[in-house]
């Protein structure tokens, strides 16, 4: 102890490494973000864990997730790193202003959206955020036309200039409380006409030679889920959208053929390359969706 302070203390470099690994979900991805080798990144995390006396990550599959201690540290790390970055921008006169137009899928959860806004505003309080939560099939063209600066959306295949945030399986689903899938023709709830999900669902039914009747269409996943909850139809959804009140339909229910995965991508407008505000928003979106 010196002057009442501990002899060892956290440093911002270790906290930045910790956040890079946490946001990437792996040591390899975290190392790429901070331009270090995986071994150097792993060593720094090990030193951090030795300092704290407990692990900050838990391994799962091919990646890592925050341990209880890591979740506690994350709040402190984001605040400290954010404060340091704001101070540096203030001294450098680099505080950004203006607007950033962001497209987010309508199924984004309240907690995810709150985290995105909080993380971005902490880094760029002078920038106005214009968020459009809508049917994400329109976001690709909006980016190309300059109507959006940044967007997260579902894609059948990821564009070359997009970053993959996550992938999910897709399934036919229905309410647990009825047997809509046994009706002939089977009643179907679909996404609106300009969505690849709709085309895939209809093509899948055609391959199965399953007679169907469209009874409901919606621009949002919440609308399709509502139709399934009401018991009036079956529908195609991503695995993360299938709550406990719904059941996944399989071969025994007349839906044997597997469906393609859906890919959630993060993409920015072609004209918006080196932009601090867009970089900060991208970091916030990665963190929110990869949790």
């Amino acid at each position: 102890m010196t002057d009442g302070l501990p002899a060892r203390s956290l440093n911002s470099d270790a906290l930045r490494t910790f956040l890079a690994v946490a946001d990437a979900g792996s040591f390899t991805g975290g190392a790429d973000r901070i331009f270090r080798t995986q071994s150097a990144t792993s060593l720094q995390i090990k030193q951090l864990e030795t300092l704290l006396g407990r692990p900050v990550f838990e391994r799962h599959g091919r990646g890592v997730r925050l341990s209880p201690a890591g979740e506690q540290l994350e709040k402190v790390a984001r605040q400290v790193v954010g404060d340091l970055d704001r101070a540096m921008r203030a001294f450098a006169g680099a505080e950004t202003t203006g607007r950033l137009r962001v497209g987010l899928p309508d199924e984004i959860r309240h907690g995810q959206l709150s985290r995105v806004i909080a993380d971005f505003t902490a880094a760029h309080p002078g920038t106005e955020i214009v968020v459009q939560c809508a049917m994400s099939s329109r976001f690709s063209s909006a980016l190309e036309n300059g109507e959006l600066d940044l967007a997260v959306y579902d894609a059948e295949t990821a564009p070359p200039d997009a970053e993959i945030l996550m992938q999910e399986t897709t399934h036919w689903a229905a309410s647990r409380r009825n047997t809509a899938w046994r009706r002939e023709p089977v009643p179907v709830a679909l996404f609106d006409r300009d969505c690849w999900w709709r085309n895939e669902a209809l093509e899948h039914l055609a391959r199965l030679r399953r007679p169907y009747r469209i009874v409901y269409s919606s621009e949002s996943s919440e609308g399709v889920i509502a139709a399934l909850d009401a018991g009036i139809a079956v529908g195609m959804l991503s695995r993360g959208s299938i709550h406990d009140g719904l059941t996944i339909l399989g071969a025994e229910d007349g839906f044997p053929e597997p469906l393609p995965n859906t890919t959630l991508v993060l993409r920015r407008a072609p004209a918006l390359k080196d932009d601090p505000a867009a970089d900060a928003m991208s970091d916030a979106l990665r963190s929110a969706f990869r949790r």
Side-chain angles (χ1 to χ4, degrees):
M1 302 288 287
T2 303
D3 295 330
L5 297 175
R8 299 181 300 167
S9 61
L10 294 170
N11 64 74
S12 62
D13 189 46
L15 294 179
R16 290 183 191 278
T17 300
F18 163 73
L19 291 176
V21 174
D23 289 340
S26 70
F27 282 92
T28 301
D32 289 342
R33 292 188 180 197
I34 56 177
F35 305 104
R36 289 183 178 173
T37 65
Q38 182 177 347
S39 59
T41 301
S42 298
L43 177 61
Q44 193 164 30
I45 294 299
K46 185 176 181 179
Q47 291 171 341
L48 177 63
E49 291 178 329
T50 300
L51 176 65
L52 297 176
R54 63 193 73 179
V56 294
F57 291 111
E58 297 173 347
R59 293 190 177 276
H60 72 98
R62 297 183 179 180
V64 295
R65 59 180 167 229
L66 292 174
S67 68
E71 291 176 354
Q72 184 179 1
L73 177 63
E74 183 190 22
K75 300 174 184 178
V76 177
R78 293 196 185 280
Q79 181 178 343
V80 170
V81 170
D83 287 344
L84 290 172
D85 287 345
R86 281 191 294 274
M88 182 58 71
R89 285 194 298 271
F91 283 117
E95 183 57 58
T96 60
T97 58
R99 293 197 311 165
L100 190 69
R101 301 161 301 168
V102 184
L104 298 175
D106 64 343
E107 61 265 29
I108 184 172
R109 298 176 182 86
H110 174 77
Q112 286 176 309
L113 182 57
S114 297
R115 176 170 184 153
V116 168
I117 294 171
D119 287 354
F120 176 80
T121 303
H124 293 275
T127 301
E128 175 190 358
I129 315 171
V130 181
V131 176
Q132 179 181 349
C133 290
M135 189 175 183
S136 60
S137 61
R138 299 169 184 167
F139 289 165
S140 180
S141 59
L143 289 168
E144 297 290 345
N145 297 334
E147 298 169 9
L148 286 175
D149 300 312
L150 207 66
V152 173
Y153 62 93
D154 282 313
E156 190 170 11
T157 56
D161 61 342
E163 175 185 349
I164 297 176
L165 292 179
M166 61 182 291
Q167 288 185 311
E168 282 190 305
T169 55
T170 56
H171 306 270
W172 286 100
S175 171
R176 292 184 181 275
R177 296 190 299 272
N178 64 69
T179 55
W181 63 90
R182 294 180 181 170
R183 301 175 197 161
E184 291 290 344
V186 62
V188 182
L190 299 174
F191 286 89
D192 209 359
R193 296 188 181 276
D194 58 351
C195 178
W196 73 267
W197 287 69
R198 182 186 181 96
N199 295 334
E200 179 59 41
L202 294 178
E203 290 173 7
H204 190 251
L205 290 169
R207 291 194 299 271
L208 295 177
R209 297 183 179 180
R210 185 79 188 262
Y212 65 88
R213 180 170 63 94
I214 300 173
V215 298
Y216 186 93
S217 293
S218 174
E219 288 193 351
S220 72
S221 59
E222 289 300 320
V224 173
I225 292 170
L228 271 57
D229 282 337
I232 67 170
V234 304
M236 192 177 87
L237 294 170
S238 65
R239 182 64 185 87
S241 299
I242 301 174
H243 60 69
D244 291 342
L246 302 178
T247 185
I248 293 175
L249 304 177
E252 66 278 11
D253 307 304
F255 295 87
E257 190 173 333
L259 291 165
N261 290 342
T262 179
T263 302
L264 193 69
V265 301
L266 168 61
R267 191 178 174 211
R268 67 174 68 186
L272 199 70
K273 293 183 179 180
D274 298 322
D275 184 272
D279 291 342
M281 178 58 77
S282 296
D283 287 340
L285 289 168
R286 289 187 196 102
S287 177
F289 279 93
R290 285 176 174 169
R291 288 278 166 247

